[in-house]
Amino acid sequence: MLSHVLSRSLSASTNKNREDSWFKSLFVRKVDPRKDAHSQLLAKKEDTNLYKIQFHNVKPECLDAYNKASEEVLPSINADSHYPCELIGTWNTWYGEQDQAVHLWRYRGGYPALTEVMNKLRQNKEFMEYRNERGKMLLSRRNQLLLEFSFWNEPTPRPGPNIYELRSYQLRPGTMIEWGNYWARAIEFRQQNSEAVGGFFSQIGSLYMVHHLWAYKDLQSREDTRNAAWQHEGWDEVVYYTGQLALFLCISLALCPSFENTAVGLGK
């Protein structure tokens, strides 16, 4: 008798689990299996560029000394063909994270180029001395390795001076492809004043991160340009739907320090 009761109980439990599983399946989003990584689907195919973005939080009293030390070393690395890298831009934050320096590097040749540069810099006495002195000026630092979205233009020289806006989005895991699909159509709305500098997504470091870099003549130009985007049909949908994909957004406005001898002349 006890065995019969247990059998009936297990059978009822199994049926209930099946019903629950079937019911929940109605609300589970179906994901098509992909045979390529995000880097293959979203990045440019015609080149093997790799980017590195560095965030250095500087002691407030050391920012001028930090900029001076960077001015003496970083442009020379950029100008030396011995290193397969380019310093795309160097900025100090103006609004957002205070006393922060941001550097963006490009490595033509991908990961092998990055490795080559790292190995050569370890043998560069001037750079190692700079790195040691820099460490005394910093509160913290972090970096990411990035790839460039295929639908964004590559950073190129532009007249200045300018202010630069870095908008960093932390996406929900699994939504990078959707983000790329929306922005592949939306980027044309933001090219009217050549404000788009570059668009990148993370590969190593904090994952599911997207960085959009914009340039404006001044704050009023930024306001006018952003307002003008709302006059384009479809821009409101992009803002709405991509807003659902991001967990949070961090915005920083930055200026170039006194030295501007970078590969693409950002801020010149």
Side-chain angles (χ1 to χ4, degrees), residues 208-220:
Y208 307 110
M209 287 288 296
V210 168
H211 300 286
H212 291 178
L213 184 61
W214 311 91
Y216 305 98
K217 180 181 179 181
D218 50 39
L219 288 176
Q220 186 59 54

Side-chain angles (χ1 to χ4, degrees), residues 9-251:
S9 177
L10 290 174
S11 177
S13 176
T14 301
N15 289 336
K16 185 177 184 303
N17 288 338
R18 287 175 179 171
E19 290 175 0
D20 288 344
S21 178
W22 175 83
F23 181 75
K24 290 177 181 178
S25 71
L26 297 177
F27 300 94
V28 174
R29 179 182 170 196
K30 300 296 190 302
V31 179
D32 294 332
R34 299 194 178 277
K35 302 184 184 301
D36 293 299
H38 289 167
S39 59
Q40 296 296 316
L41 296 171
L42 295 172
K44 292 182 177 179
K45 302 295 191 300
E46 64 272 17
D47 56 44
T48 54
N49 288 341
L50 180 70
Y51 292 81
K52 179 172 71 175
I53 190 167
Q54 299 173 299
F55 299 93
H56 291 171
N57 293 317
V58 185
K59 296 176 182 178
E61 67 274 16
C62 295
L63 187 58
D64 288 341
Y66 173 93
N67 285 336
K68 185 175 186 300
S70 298
E71 179 180 6
E72 293 173 351
V73 177
L74 299 188
S76 62
I77 295 174
N78 173 73
D80 191 341
S81 59
H82 186 62
Y83 298 94
C85 64
E86 300 164 86
L87 182 58
I88 300 300
T90 293
W91 304 274
N92 290 161
T93 54
W94 184 22
Y95 289 100
E97 190 79 26
Q98 294 294 284
D99 304 308
Q100 185 181 73
V102 181
H103 308 287
L104 180 63
W105 296 84
R106 176 167 55 210
Y107 299 87
R108 294 196 182 276
Y111 292 108
L114 171 66
T115 301
E116 180 182 347
V117 171
M118 291 174 58
N119 290 336
K120 289 180 177 178
L121 286 178
R122 292 192 186 99
Q123 308 303 318
N124 186 324
K125 181 180 178 181
E126 181 184 37
F127 175 79
M128 295 306 294
E129 291 176 352
Y130 157 74
R131 184 177 181 181
N132 290 335
E133 287 302 311
R134 184 190 69 185
K136 302 173 185 178
M137 306 178 195
L138 299 182
L139 294 169
S140 64
R141 60 193 178 99
R142 61 187 174 90
N143 58 24
Q144 289 178 314
L145 293 181
L146 314 170
L147 293 178
E148 186 178 17
F149 281 114
S150 61
F151 48 84
W152 277 72
N153 47 285
E154 185 175 286
T156 56
R158 60 181 59 234
N162 298 292
I163 62 172
Y164 292 86
E165 179 177 17
L166 180 65
R167 301 175 72 90
S168 300
Y169 303 83
Q170 177 67 63
L171 301 189
R172 298 179 185 277
T175 62
M176 186 68 74
I177 298 296
E178 291 180 72
W179 181 276
N181 287 339
Y182 280 116
W183 270 97
R185 299 190 297 270
I187 190 62
E188 62 182 270
F189 302 146
R190 297 300 310 276
Q191 298 279 23
Q192 303 302 312
N193 296 314
S194 300
E195 67 269 25
V197 177
F200 313 92
F201 60 99
S202 62
Q203 283 290 283
I204 297 179
S206 298
L207 297 180
Y208 307 110
M209 287 288 296
V210 168
H211 300 286
H212 291 178
L213 184 61
W214 311 91
Y216 305 98
K217 180 181 179 181
D218 50 39
L219 288 176
Q220 186 59 54
S221 173
R222 173 184 179 272
E223 178 75 3
D224 295 341
T225 300
R226 288 178 55 81
N227 287 339
W230 290 94
Q231 307 306 312
H232 295 281
E233 183 178 356
W235 175 249
D236 56 338
E237 294 181 8
V238 171
V239 173
Y240 175 78
Y241 286 111
T242 56
Q244 312 304 308
L245 307 180
L247 293 171
F248 67 82
L249 162 65
C250 178
I251 301 175

